[in-house]
Amino acid sequence: MFRLLPWRREGLSTLSRLILAIGLMEGVRSGFFAGFLPFYAPERLNLGPTAFTLAYTLHQLAENLSKSLGGLLAERVGFGLTASLAAFVGLLALLLTPLAQAAWVLWALGLLWGLSLSTLYPGLMTYASRIAVPGKEARALSFTLTLVMPWVGVGLIGVGQVAQRHPESGLALLLWAQGAALALTLSLLRFRIPVPPQGQDRYPLSRMLLFLPAAFGQTFAPALVSLFLLRFAKESLGLEPLTLGALLLLGGGLFFGLLPLTGRLVDRGGYRLALVLGLALLGGVMLRLAFARSLAEVALLAALAGLGFSLFLPGWNGFLARNLPQENRAALWGTLMSVEGLGVALGPTAGGALWEAFGLHAPLLAGGGIFLALSLFYAAVFGRERWR
């Protein structure tokens, strides 16, 4: 069984605890802001939607804008220590929430919590790349990320189901989950990410500029339509939310099912074709979706989107694993994640402006154009001799 895994056996115990701890913290975060506060804040804290949604915005900005520093701390100070601190700050924020009778207290808690989480993903992805089996880097990074992200939905749905009936029980559930995450990180308190010997040649930092378009575009393009997808599905496609959920499940299921195959193809054949083809597929899907009319066509597009993302994710991770320098890798990874976070933050506003100016189809067309432009850009970049 260990031969099938993309990580080396000696680092698997530590990685498993990190994935579970960070997954729990992600579940707590989504459960707190999206499943718990909408029921708890108006009734128990007398805070309206603007107050608790702004707490989430400040939380996200604090995390995403400090990921470069967070990555540096994770690698230099010790990832076990910074992860334990993040778990402790999250637990403290939960304990102090019942005392947040003023909006600024909730905002301060969200801000502090977000700052503490900035070390997690740069550290996790750096460690996963360091213990990846040679030749399996793309699969190692893709599987690491996909093992964490489902916890977002688990936290949202699980806590939301409890909190809408008994808000105090929802808070207790969050505290138990965050306490478990703290216990897991404390078991790794002395853990440090292994740092390889420094090479003789200095990495040309100008090459970092070639990562930025995909880092921003891959989150900005979907975020253009993220807040309007239900409205578009209803008005343009005549789809009810349940049907849309089934289509999203179809695309997501294909993505997860194809990831082992596409990851293996990327590791064996290189990341270039997968990254370019994945971006092109995602762009074509968004452009065609703007004009789709039948349920069968939308289902086909959902399947193609799953295929496109299953190509793009390992292609992108393989691109980073092969070209990011080993020295200060977590800090550089954090910088790219900050750029990705800006795409998430700016996309909905830009999508709203496009919708208001040109109609409900405009965000889809713009997003598709961005993905296709990125595909052409990287096709040109990879064709240059110096990338071979």
Side-chain angles (χ1 to χ4, degrees):
M1 184 185 70
F2 287 107
R3 288 197 299 269
L4 299 176
L5 297 176
W7 308 281
R8 291 197 297 270
R9 183 173 181 175
E10 56 270 21
L12 202 54
S13 173
T14 297
L15 181 66
S16 300
R17 280 178 283 171
L18 285 171
I19 288 175
L20 181 55
I22 294 173
L24 283 169
M25 284 190 266
E26 275 292 359
V28 168
R29 175 181 22 199
S30 67
F32 177 77
F33 285 105
F36 171 72
L37 280 185
F39 301 102
Y40 187 83
E43 297 178 8
R44 303 295 194 274
L45 303 178
N46 295 317
L47 298 177
T50 302
F52 64 78
T53 54
L54 182 56
Y56 178 69
T57 299
L58 293 172
H59 172 87
Q60 287 287 342
L61 287 174
E63 180 191 3
N64 286 303
L65 295 180
S66 59
K67 277 184 176 176
S68 180
L69 176 60
L72 184 65
L73 291 174
E75 201 166 22
R76 297 293 180 86
V77 175
F79 191 31
L81 179 60
T82 60
S84 298
L85 180 62
F88 173 75
V89 171
L91 185 63
L92 183 64
L94 293 172
L95 290 171
L96 294 179
T97 295
L99 304 178
Q101 299 295 327
W104 70 267
V105 178
L106 192 63
W107 298 340
L109 291 175
L111 193 68
L112 181 63
W113 192 359
L115 286 172
S116 72
L117 293 176
S118 66
T119 68
L120 296 184
Y121 282 101
L124 177 66
M125 299 301 280
T126 298
Y127 180 59
S129 72
R130 294 264 165 83
I131 67 166
V133 174
K136 295 184 178 181
E137 292 87 355
R139 274 172 285 178
L141 294 173
S142 299
F143 286 146
T144 299
L145 195 59
T146 52
L147 286 171
V148 172
M149 295 317 296
W151 286 93
V152 175
V154 171
L156 169 62
I157 296 171
V159 175
Q161 288 293 320
V162 175
Q164 65 180 330
R165 296 178 177 85
H166 306 287
E168 282 74 16
S169 298
L171 181 58
L173 180 60
L174 289 168
L175 287 168
W176 276 105
Q178 190 70 19
L182 179 59
L184 283 167
T185 55
L186 287 174
S187 73
L188 298 167
L189 187 61
R190 297 182 180 275
F191 167 69
R192 302 181 70 92
I193 299 172
V195 179
Q198 294 185 7
Q200 297 296 320
D201 299 328
R202 292 186 61 83
Y203 180 81
L205 291 179
S206 60
R207 181 171 292 187
M208 280 288 295
L209 297 176
L210 295 174
F211 301 119
L212 298 182
F216 182 78
Q218 65 174 287
T219 55
F220 181 75
L224 288 170
V225 300
S226 60
L227 299 186
F228 318 119
L229 194 56
L230 282 173
R231 175 85 178 261
F232 174 80
K234 179 66 175 178
E235 294 188 5
S236 298
L237 304 175
L239 300 179
E240 296 297 330
L242 189 60
T243 306
L244 178 62
L247 291 170
L248 293 174
L249 185 62
L250 169 64
L254 277 174
F255 160 65
F256 283 111
L258 291 172
L259 191 58
L261 174 61
T262 55
R264 184 180 297 111
L265 291 175
V266 169
D267 283 326
R268 291 182 176 178
Y271 56 82
R272 296 175 178 84
L273 180 60
L275 180 58
V276 171
L277 184 58
L279 288 167
L281 267 174
L282 292 171
V285 165
M286 289 191 76
L287 289 176
R288 183 57 202 165
L289 185 60
F291 304 103
R293 288 295 176 264
S294 69
L295 179 60
E297 184 179 7
V298 177
L300 176 60
L301 291 174
L304 289 174
L307 173 61
F309 197 60
S310 75
L311 286 168
F312 167 75
L313 186 63
W316 171 243
N317 285 324
F319 182 33
L320 296 179
R322 302 287 177 85
N323 293 287
L324 279 179
Q326 292 294 344
E327 185 177 359
N328 294 325
R329 171 170 281 207
L332 295 174
W333 219 311
T335 300
L336 293 176
M337 289 179 176
S338 293
V339 176
E340 292 172 356
L342 285 176
V344 174
L346 298 177
T349 302
L354 287 170
W355 175 16
E356 186 173 348
F358 304 107
L360 196 52
H361 296 78
L364 277 168
L365 295 174
I370 290 170
F371 274 130
L372 289 178
L374 288 173
S375 177
L376 293 174
F377 173 76
Y378 285 105
V381 167
F382 297 150
R384 298 178 64 175
E385 184 66 29
R386 68 188 186 89
W387 277 91
R388 295 180 182 174

